Amino acid sequence: MLLKKAYTLVFIRTATQILLGFKKRGFGVNLYNGFGGKIEPNETIVDAALRELKEECCLTVRKSDLKNVGHLEFSFEGEPNLMVVSVFSSNIYEGTPKDTEEMSVKWFNYSEIPFQKMWPDDAIWLPLMLENKLFYGRFHYINNNTIGHYKVEELKSM
Ligand code: 6U4
Ligand code: NA
Ligand code: NA
């Protein structure tokens, strides 16, 4: 049995661009990603998503504007944990994105997403999100750069 650990991952998007954060420390360091982190005890998934978004890039989103668009699961060779990630997207936000201790923020045109500087699984499921599809993905990593087996599917509902 794998021990499940729950995380959030939030993407802020406009009609033409996506906001990514270049992670300066910790898990996924030196990679661009959405904003998110561990869900704390006594916190709902949505509350955790909004808290991490605020902490990592200083943006505020209303609960009702946050859409759960995907569900991802990651395991790593030789590790007992299953990382379970709820993925959210919003195109309505308040504030101006700011660099923080954890992230340097940057907008990317959809045609210029830096997949070579992101987790390898992103290139597989992120295009579905950009097409406004709902998705499920399960990835097993052999090491931090290499995906072993994986499965991705489009969902009809979350
Ligand atoms: P600390 O450093 O304790 O504050 P915290 O911000 O709670 O950490 P963190 O940053 O370690 O948590 O959470 C990992 C983040 O990386 C989550 O948003 C999920 C995301 N993530 C993990 N594996 C991923 C992967 N393979 N592809 C991806 N995002 C991933 O796109
Ligand atoms: Na984080
Ligand atoms: Na964090």
Side-chain angles (χ1 to χ4, degrees), residues 7-61:
Y7 293 80
T8 63
L9 185 60
V10 178
F11 292 90
I12 300 293
R13 298 160 56 196
T14 69
T16 56
Q17 294 191 308
I18 185 167
L19 183 69
L20 298 176
F22 187 76
K23 200 136 190 272
K24 297 196 246 181
R25 62 159 202 224
F27 192 73
V29 66
N30 294 335
L31 296 177
Y32 280 102
N33 206 345
F35 305 97
K38 299 172 198 78
I39 298 165
E40 288 174 2
N42 305 318
E43 189 179 42
T44 67
I45 297 178
V46 168
D47 286 344
L50 296 177
R51 175 184 53 73
E52 290 280 351
L53 179 70
K54 180 88 183 178
E55 282 175 10
E56 295 183 357
C57 72
C58 305
L59 293 183
T60 306
V61 169

Side-chain angles (χ1 to χ4, degrees), residues 47-87:
D47 286 344
L50 296 177
R51 175 184 53 73
E52 290 280 351
L53 179 70
K54 180 88 183 178
E55 282 175 10
E56 295 183 357
C57 72
C58 305
L59 293 183
T60 306
V61 169
R62 284 202 208 107
K63 272 186 194 180
S64 53
D65 291 326
L66 197 65
K67 304 273 179 286
N68 184 201
V69 296
H71 186 87
L72 298 171
E73 295 176 339
F74 302 105
S75 53
F76 289 86
E77 192 71 29
E79 285 182 25
N81 295 333
L82 181 69
M83 204 171 192
V84 177
V85 182
S86 296
V87 185

Side-chain angles (χ1 to χ4, degrees), residues 96-114:
T96 305
K98 288 194 178 67
D99 290 354
T100 59
E101 241 178 68
E102 185 166 342
M103 296 279 205
S104 300
V105 295
K106 192 171 172 189
W107 289 103
F108 290 92
N109 293 329
Y110 288 150
S111 57
E112 291 166 358
I113 295 175

